[in-house]
Amino acid sequence: MEHDLLATSWTWAGDETIRERVHAVGAAGFAGLSLSLDDLHEVRATTGFAELRRVLDGAGIVWVQLGPLDRWWTCTSRTDDDDADRGVVLEAAAALRAWQVIARADTSLPGASPITMADDWTVLADQAATVGAQLVLEPEPWSNLPTIERAARFVAAAGHPNGGLLLDAMHALRGGSTLASIRQGVAPTTLAAVELSDGLLHTPSGMTLSEEAREARYLPGAGAWDLPGLVRTVRELGFDEPWGVEVRTPGHRAMPIGDALRTAAAATRAVLDAADAYGAPAAPAMPSSPAPTSAVDFEPPHPGPHGATQPGSRRPAGRRDADTGTPA
């Protein structure tokens, strides 16, 4: 079963030009990517968004995610730079035909009350809708919406048809959620995006949660989490495609970008294949009869002394080793 994958900004970060990196994303088999604010500011100041859209089209990129936006709610710490970031994201969303715009929860201390953010969420969701993109909220364990369930309640209570929820595997599981709590606490109508990464059973010693999120996002399937189970859970909630891939470790960043992206795509597809196979009928046994001679390079063996097969002759196609059952 084929799946659409989306490389998040950390997964395809590198020192190459944006054009080179975009082509590497497409060549690795990804159908989407997310662009950070830094990338958007660079493109706006250089080649422009129309040219980037042509590059994306040439690389086969159809899903475009932008952000995340910070301090989109009314607060004393909001600056002119935050408003400028918002304008650039909305401008880029229109020009790039973006699928989604990501907004973060409040990571300051003590943090705003989510109730006071609801009106600003509605305004931003309206603005995103105007440029054809969906607004999605990304909760983080160190924010004022620390769990995926609380963030889901915020989105549902706001009730805006263009507002949704981004479920990041690391943020959700490190926030204390389980597959059961996600299944029970996330309304299907709210779930709009999913990002997959893997991790250890516990945050590595000496790391904070935010440091782990930046430095210890393992390849899907390379950690201790039940990612196939998470995939099945979000599918039960109605989500399917594209699957965000967020990998960030020192080893991953040290690889050539093409190798890093191909490795991330292959690892994620293996996890999705495992989720697809759950509950499926067992694969049929391999056939034991010889394949038609028209379909293989078939050469009958030439018997030697005492009926032995001469060295270099081929066995008939389909013959199996008596001990292993594998084709000889």
Side-chain angles (χ1 to χ4, degrees):
M1 186 174 178
E2 191 63 25
H3 299 285
D4 276 6
L5 304 182
L6 180 148
T8 66
S9 56
W10 278 352
T11 304
W12 66 291
D15 297 328
E16 299 82 359
T17 66
I18 291 177
R19 178 187 295 271
E20 291 170 331
R21 291 190 288 124
V22 167
H23 281 296
V25 170
F30 288 88
L33 54 75
S34 60
L35 284 150
S36 68
L37 279 165
D38 286 344
D39 283 339
L40 293 177
H41 281 293
E42 178 184 340
V43 169
R44 189 174 188 270
T46 54
T47 60
F49 295 130
E51 175 60 23
L52 177 57
R53 183 63 258 183
R54 286 190 285 271
V55 173
L56 294 168
D57 289 340
I61 302 301
V62 295
W63 305 93
V64 177
Q65 216 176 38
L66 307 178
L69 281 174
D70 209 349
R71 289 181 293 275
W72 44 268
W73 57 94
T74 303
C75 60
T76 57
S77 58
R78 184 164 157 182
T79 67
D80 290 342
D81 286 344
D82 295 320
D83 291 335
D85 286 344
R86 182 183 188 132
V88 169
V89 166
L90 293 172
E91 177 187 347
L96 300 175
R97 303 192 299 276
W99 167 52
Q100 288 178 338
V101 167
I102 302 172
R104 297 180 71 192
D106 185 1
T107 59
S108 66
L109 292 175
S113 166
I115 295 175
T116 66
M117 300 166 69
D119 288 343
D120 291 302
W121 172 262
T122 297
V123 171
L124 184 54
D126 279 336
Q127 292 175 334
T130 300
V131 295
Q134 182 182 28
L135 178 65
V136 294
L137 176 67
E138 182 172 13
E140 297 164 298
W142 50 89
S143 73
N144 67 333
L145 290 167
T147 68
I148 195 73
E149 294 84 2
R150 287 177 65 177
R153 291 196 294 273
F154 172 86
V155 171
H160 198 289
N162 195 46
L165 179 68
L166 188 158
L167 188 156
D168 176 307
M170 174 167 279
H171 292 160
L173 299 178
R174 285 294 188 247
S177 296
T178 65
L179 300 187
S181 70
I182 292 170
R183 188 179 297 111
Q184 296 169 7
V186 176
T189 54
T190 63
L191 188 56
V194 173
E195 293 178 353
L196 301 177
S197 60
D198 216 327
L200 306 179
L201 282 177
H202 304 287
T203 298
S205 177
M207 274 190 175
T208 64
L209 284 177
S210 61
E211 289 169 343
E212 181 187 21
R214 291 194 301 271
E215 299 294 330
R217 288 179 176 271
Y218 294 100
L219 289 167
W225 301 342
D226 179 13
L227 290 186
L230 178 62
V231 169
R232 295 192 295 270
T233 298
V234 297
R235 280 178 174 162
E236 290 173 12
L237 295 172
F239 178 81
D240 198 19
E241 314 292 327
W243 299 95
V245 183
E246 186 145 54
V247 179
R248 187 175 172 90
T249 64
H252 183 79
R253 292 200 304 275
M255 297 172 67
I257 188 168
D259 294 342
L261 286 164
R262 284 189 292 271
T263 300
T268 306
R269 292 191 189 283
V271 166
L272 295 171
D273 287 346
D276 292 339
Y278 179 80
M286 291 294 290
S288 58
S289 58
T293 57
S294 61
V296 296
D297 182 13
F298 177 77
E299 181 183 342
H302 303 292
H306 311 295
T309 300
Q310 294 288 351
S313 62
R314 299 176 184 270
R315 294 183 180 182
R319 180 173 172 179
R320 295 181 173 271
D321 184 274
D323 294 327
T324 66
T326 57

